[in-house]
Amino acid sequence: MDLHKITCILDSFKAQKISISDFLIHIVSDQSFYGDTLVQDLSHNATRLLSALTEHLQKIEHTVDINDSIFGLLKSQLCSDVKKLITHGDEWQFGASSARAHQLEEFQLDQMADKMARISPCLWNILETLLSSTQKASSSSQSLDSKSLDSTFPDQEEEYWEQADDIGLEGIIEIISGDKKVVIISIIMQSTNQKTNALASIIGIFLHSCKTPEKVVEALARLGISISLNAIHNAITSLSAESANCIRALGQTLLVNYAYDNFDVNIQTSVPTVQRSATTLKHLTSGLIFPLQHGVTLDDMKCSERLWKQSHLNLHANPSDIPPSRSWKDIIDHFQILHPESNPPITLDGLSQREQFISWKFLQDLCDYGPSYFAQFRNAIEKPQTIEQIPLIKTEITPVRSMEFSNSTVSGNISTIKNLMNQAGIGDPKDPDNIYEVVDGAPYVVLFHGDLGTGDRIISIQTRRSAEATPWERFQYVIFVPGLFHVKMACADALYRIFIQPTAARHDDSCLMRDIGKLRPKETGIYASNPGFRRMHQLILHSGICRRLDCWITEASQLNKEHKSLEDFAQSKPSLEKLRVIANNLAKKFIADFRMPRLRRQPKAQRDQQYENALLLNKYFLLYEELSYAMNEGDIGRVENCLVPWIFIFRATGKHKYAHHITQFLTNVHFNFPEGLKKAIRYHMLVNPTGKPGKFRGVDWCVELNNLYTKDVHGGESSNNTITRIIKESPLVQVYRNAKNIIAFSRILTFCLPRMLSGVTII
């Protein structure tokens, strides 16, 4: 700028006796100058002006620091932002003594961050600027290559066992490092108004659910990151009391299912006495309650008196009212009508429903675990035809308060059922022992899900009480539904009894024990003695994949002698249609069927017993795969079709209890129960806790998962591992899981098949 002009302007200010500061303050304060271009220019260059003024004061070593003035203005703005947050953040107030589960369910950390940034942009931007200098790129999520992602092997049993991993403080560390701005602002808000403590409350409940040491919680509470120990305990007490009201409200609708199972807890802190000096193992029973869905009404469940008139336990029943006994032959004939093969009965490929599944499984294994060329067809493979689908609806499962009863006795089951009815607010209104108002559920039946041990004891209860005078005393309202997860466990055990337990079954060069030596070389002794369900389940899946890929190699080499491996076959670039044709041939050629007796009748010199055993193993493994697939997909029609052949396998392997119970259950459901009750049972043997396709689970699987959380994950440690704590907090399993989801903490250890695929080539 021209120095002469500047001097003239300064002289004018002096002549008018106006200071530059008064002039600038006036023109920016008076609204009449807002439209002036010079004033607008001043506003646009405010940053430059402040920077120049700061530099000027530093050069002349002025005693007044402009930063103090700027900080005063900024302090006022920041305080205003905090007040706005507190005023507009009513949903962030969390009273520990009146905590409710919906507060955790509705809390969203990302929404909280968005609202903070919107209401207090100045505070948010300052924190973002201060933190950006030290912010590091997030490396918490591990990136997997396409091979690992494509080869991930999801399964409901893996999902169950993944929950058993210990959970430490990594989750709280992750939220503090990943969302520092939200944490800092939350601490500031809580310091200003102690009621604005939503995030601290969520973190406190999360820490409690992770069995975090109390000293750590106290330290985090002093830092303002968590609420205090007393507040956490008050919140747990409030949530536990609220859960009791919710269970009662749900139960009194009479449109609910129940499931229960026992679990054992080793309480090491028990005080020894002379009478019980070494007994630390406690027997408890957990339970779940979930609603009847899929259009089931009260009229469908109002059939208690009708079923009692038809019951063989009724001493006064009319013999003509008692339905005739049925056998497995009647079940097969009924299923042929209820679940016809298809429409038309046989597909154009000449495959039955089971053969369609087998063909699909062969093709899926090739695309998932074969050479990379076949992966392109993965999304083009249609799933097997659904026989009868349970509607896809998310089922809200509510844990009930655990009970200090032993489920292994008849008296323990009586106490358990009475306790569940009491928690649900259902009972005999004439009973003088009722403390609260109850709903009379005598005209209705109630479904109880469990394992066959539970079923046996329920039958014993009803048999012993059949001479009682009232429906409540006879327990005639109880309808037992066997858990499909335990049936699946019995299937795995039956395969163990066929292919591993007999010593003679281990001498064949193509036997299952040989596969174990390749896939699990360090666990052959365990598999030979007592592998348990998890190991058997994995073995069936992994060995089955290897064997089916081997069938592909055999068939490809027969079509072209140059195809000595799947890689050679992939180089020929077969089309999807050609692969379908080959898969259909595999479904007929390498699976035992009606031709098996003919093969076994051949002279011994002409028989290939290894080939026969391989066909039989493929058949049984695929029958297990089909049952697993049907359960996951919610195809109750296919589940029922699979249960029939398993009845014969159970009988052949000495599992007569399962054979009898499944036969009796299918007979009652399809021949003795009214249509409404039949639908209620069949459509609730599987539930979908997530509401996502392919995520159906057996009810007893959900009970086992609840047991895992109740006793291992949230059961406390050391002196806090008490029966009182376990029972008090057992209804809060889902609340704790919601808190962990909010913290965005996940340690799912997915099993990836590339670690196993090396055995495919060897086998």
Side-chain angles (χ1 to χ4, degrees):
M1 294 181 63
D2 190 349
L3 182 61
H4 176 69
K5 293 182 178 180
I6 296 176
T7 303
C8 293
I9 295 173
L10 292 175
D11 292 340
S12 299
F13 276 108
K14 294 175 182 178
Q16 297 295 330
K17 297 182 179 180
I18 299 175
S19 67
I20 297 179
S21 59
D22 291 338
F23 174 76
L24 292 176
I25 292 173
H26 184 78
I27 63 175
V28 298
S29 302
D30 194 337
Q31 295 183 0
S32 60
F33 296 105
Y34 283 2
D36 190 279
T37 56
L38 295 178
V39 177
Q40 292 178 356
D41 179 74
L42 184 64
S43 301
H44 294 158
N45 292 278
T47 303
R48 292 176 56 196
L49 180 62
L50 291 174
S51 299
L53 184 58
T54 302
E55 185 178 355
H56 168 71
L57 293 175
Q58 291 175 347
K59 290 180 179 179
I60 65 175
E61 298 181 356
H62 198 273
T63 57
V64 178
D65 191 353
I66 192 174
N67 291 329
D68 294 338
S69 301
I70 297 175
F71 174 75
L73 296 173
L74 184 59
K75 178 180 177 181
S76 176
Q77 179 62 44
L78 295 178
C79 291
S80 175
D81 283 354
V82 173
K83 291 180 180 179
K84 289 180 181 178
L85 285 172
I86 295 174
T87 303
H88 296 84
D90 294 337
E91 70 272 21
W92 299 335
Q93 295 184 4
F94 191 98
S97 59
S98 60
R100 295 294 180 264
H102 72 85
Q103 293 177 285
L104 280 80
E105 296 172 358
E106 297 172 358
F107 185 87
Q108 298 291 335
L109 192 60
D110 54 348
Q111 293 181 5
M112 185 179 192
D114 293 340
K115 189 171 183 178
M116 285 179 174
R118 186 175 65 256
I119 295 177
S120 57
C122 181
L123 176 59
W124 186 267
N125 291 333
I126 287 176
L127 290 176
E128 187 170 18
T129 301
L130 295 175
L131 295 173
S132 61
S133 59
T134 58
Q135 190 175 20
K136 297 181 180 180
S138 175
S139 59
S140 59
S141 59
Q142 296 180 353
S143 60
L144 301 176
D145 55 25
S146 59
K147 179 72 175 180
S148 297
L149 289 174
D150 293 341
S151 303
T152 299
F153 193 81
D155 187 80
Q156 60 171 325
E157 282 67 46
E158 292 300 325
E159 179 183 340
Y160 171 80
W161 291 108
E162 285 154 7
Q163 314 300 330
D165 296 313
D166 293 333
I167 300 177
L169 292 177
E170 290 88 344
I172 189 67
I173 295 173
E174 180 175 329
I175 185 175
I176 293 175
S177 61
D179 298 278
K180 295 186 181 76
K181 297 185 291 296
V182 177
V183 175
I184 294 173
I185 295 177
S186 297
I187 294 174
I188 295 173
M189 293 169 58
Q190 186 179 1
S191 300
T192 306
N193 186 346
Q194 291 186 353
K195 294 182 179 181
T196 312
N197 60 349
L199 182 59
S201 300
I202 300 294
I203 293 176
I205 295 174
F206 167 78
L207 294 172
H208 181 80
S209 68
C210 294
K211 301 182 288 190
T212 305
E214 293 184 352
K215 290 184 178 180
V216 177
V217 178
E218 291 175 351
L220 294 174
R222 293 191 186 98
L223 295 174
I225 297 174
S226 169
I227 56 178
S228 65
L229 278 173
N230 289 336
I232 292 175
H233 294 156
N234 290 337
I236 297 303
T237 301
S238 175
L239 291 170
S240 182
E242 184 210 12
S243 68
N245 297 330
C246 294
I247 292 170
R248 176 174 290 270
L250 179 61
Q252 290 186 341
T253 65
L254 299 175
L255 289 174
V256 291
N257 293 265
Y258 299 87
Y260 66 91
D261 193 13
N262 65 297
F263 66 95
D264 299 328
V265 182
N266 191 12
I267 305 296
Q268 297 290 349
T269 58
S270 299
V271 179
T273 61
V274 175
Q275 293 81 6
R276 306 178 67 181
S277 59
T279 302
T280 60
L281 189 66
K282 304 296 182 181
H283 305 286
L284 304 179
T285 299
S286 67
L288 299 177
I289 181 174
F290 57 97
L292 287 168
Q293 300 171 312
H294 314 302
V296 177
T297 64
L298 280 175
D299 291 336
D300 296 329
M301 309 303 291
K302 194 175 183 180
C303 56
S304 177
E305 190 62 28
R306 172 182 172 180
L307 294 180
W308 177 244
K309 291 180 179 179
Q310 300 176 355
S311 175
H312 68 279
L313 299 176
N314 187 353
L315 302 178
H316 306 288
N318 189 334
S320 61
D321 292 335
I322 299 177
S325 59
R326 305 278 183 172
S327 67
W328 56 267
K329 295 180 180 179
D330 300 301
I331 296 174
I332 293 177
D333 293 338
H334 178 70
F335 281 178
Q336 288 178 348
I337 300 174
L338 182 64
H339 308 311
E341 277 293 331
S342 60
N343 190 18
I346 300 294
T347 63
L348 297 177
D349 297 324
L351 301 178
S352 64
Q353 289 174 343
R354 180 147 296 139
E355 289 172 337
Q356 291 178 47
F357 172 82
I358 294 172
S359 175
W360 169 81
K361 188 60 181 172
F362 269 107
L363 192 56
Q364 185 199 45
D365 288 343
L366 178 67
C367 295
D368 285 346
Y369 313 115
S372 58
Y373 167 79
F374 300 107
Q376 61 181 308
F377 304 122
R378 185 178 301 149
N379 296 329
I381 303 175
E382 302 87 2
K383 288 187 176 182
Q385 179 184 3
T386 301
I387 298 177
E388 185 176 356
Q389 178 68 47
I390 298 175
L392 182 61
I393 300 176
K394 181 179 179 179
T395 303
E396 297 291 343
I397 299 177
T398 304
V400 301
R401 189 176 296 272
S402 295
M403 298 150 279
E404 198 171 356
F405 305 125
S406 176
N407 192 29
S408 59
T409 63
V410 174
S411 60
N413 279 264
I414 292 175
S415 300
T416 297
I417 294 174
K418 286 184 176 180
N419 188 283
L420 287 173
M421 294 294 96
N422 183 50
Q423 290 190 53
I426 302 174
D428 186 356
K430 299 179 182 178
D431 189 349
D433 295 333
N434 291 329
I435 301 177
Y436 303 101
E437 183 179 354
V438 297
V439 174
D440 185 10
Y444 305 93
V445 295
V446 182
L447 304 184
F448 284 85
H449 302 254
D451 56 25
L452 293 195
T454 300
D456 276 339
R457 294 174 189 100
I458 288 177
I459 293 174
S460 297
I461 294 171
Q462 294 175 328
T463 302
R464 298 179 185 183
R465 296 291 191 95
S466 59
E468 298 291 343
T470 66
W472 285 109
E473 294 174 343
R474 291 193 297 263
F475 287 83
Q476 73 178 46
Y477 58 90
V478 177
I479 300 294
F480 172 70
V481 182
L484 289 178
F485 179 57
H486 282 81
V487 173
K488 184 175 176 179
M489 294 172 66
C491 295
D493 183 62
L495 295 180
Y496 165 77
R497 296 187 182 192
I498 296 173
F499 296 108
I500 298 179
Q501 189 179 49
T503 305
R506 308 174 192 174
H507 298 160
D508 190 347
D509 290 339
S510 61
C511 66
L512 185 58
M513 203 64 187
R514 175 181 173 274
D515 294 356
I516 297 173
K518 302 298 182 182
L519 297 175
R520 303 286 188 272
K522 297 182 180 181
E523 300 180 1
T524 54
I526 298 176
Y527 275 96
S529 57
N530 184 20
F533 169 67
R534 187 185 186 187
R535 284 189 174 88
M536 274 304 301
H537 172 77
Q538 292 179 341
L539 175 64
I540 293 169
L541 301 186
H542 301 164
S543 176
I545 292 171
C546 297
R547 288 175 176 268
R548 287 187 289 275
L549 292 179
D550 185 63
C551 292
W552 276 102
I553 296 174
T554 303
E555 187 69 11
S557 62
Q558 291 180 356
L559 295 175
N560 189 333
K561 294 183 179 180
E562 296 182 357
H563 297 162
K564 298 181 180 180
S565 65
L566 287 178
E567 286 73 15
D568 296 336
F569 181 47
Q571 291 179 0
S572 65
K573 299 188 182 303
S575 64
L576 180 58
E577 292 303 319
K578 182 178 180 179
L579 294 176
R580 284 198 178 102
V581 173
I582 298 176
N584 293 342
N585 293 334
L586 294 174
K588 296 180 178 180
K589 185 175 180 180
F590 292 98
I591 307 298
D593 55 13
F594 63 92
R595 295 167 294 181
M596 178 63 70
R598 187 191 315 164
L599 293 175
R600 290 180 169 177
R601 286 194 298 266
Q602 292 179 348
K604 188 174 182 179
Q606 298 179 9
R607 289 180 61 186
D608 186 349
Q609 295 185 16
Q610 291 187 9
Y611 175 70
E612 295 172 7
N613 292 339
L615 295 184
L616 198 61
L617 188 145
N618 286 342
K619 177 180 180 178
Y620 290 166
F621 275 21
L622 283 165
L623 188 61
Y624 181 89
E625 291 265 16
E626 185 177 6
L627 178 63
S628 298
Y629 169 83
M631 290 173 58
N632 292 341
E633 293 294 324
D635 189 348
I636 190 62
R638 189 177 293 275
V639 169
E640 291 176 332
N641 282 351
C642 290
L643 290 179
V644 175
W646 280 111
I647 293 175
F648 302 104
I649 297 175
F650 290 151
R651 286 182 176 177
T653 55
K655 301 182 76 66
H656 300 288
K657 180 189 292 186
Y658 275 92
H660 171 74
H661 273 279
I662 294 176
T663 303
Q664 189 62 43
F665 172 73
L666 293 177
T667 299
N668 288 334
V669 170
H670 290 279
F671 295 103
N672 301 338
F673 291 164
E675 285 298 320
L677 178 58
K678 172 183 174 181
K679 177 183 177 182
I681 293 175
R682 297 177 68 241
Y683 278 28
H684 292 87
M685 294 177 69
L686 296 166
V687 295
N688 196 319
T690 64
K692 299 178 181 179
K695 294 294 184 179
F696 283 86
R697 299 289 181 260
V699 176
D700 51 334
W701 183 91
C702 298
V703 178
E704 295 292 345
L705 182 62
N706 181 69
N707 287 348
L708 177 71
Y709 274 98
T710 300
K711 68 177 183 178
D712 290 331
V713 179
H714 306 312
E717 286 185 345
S718 301
S719 60
N720 287 328
N721 186 20
T722 63
I723 297 295
T724 303
R725 169 171 173 159
I726 292 174
I727 293 177
K728 177 181 178 181
E729 300 184 16
S730 55
L732 305 181
V733 168
Q734 190 58 45
V735 173
Y736 291 154
R737 296 187 70 180
N738 290 337
K740 292 180 181 180
N741 292 334
I742 293 171
I743 300 299
F745 174 48
S746 175
R747 289 183 62 190
I748 296 178
L749 305 178
T750 307
F751 182 83
C752 295
L753 275 178
R755 290 178 284 178
M756 185 272 296
L757 286 180
S758 58
V760 176
T761 305
I762 299 176
I763 294 177

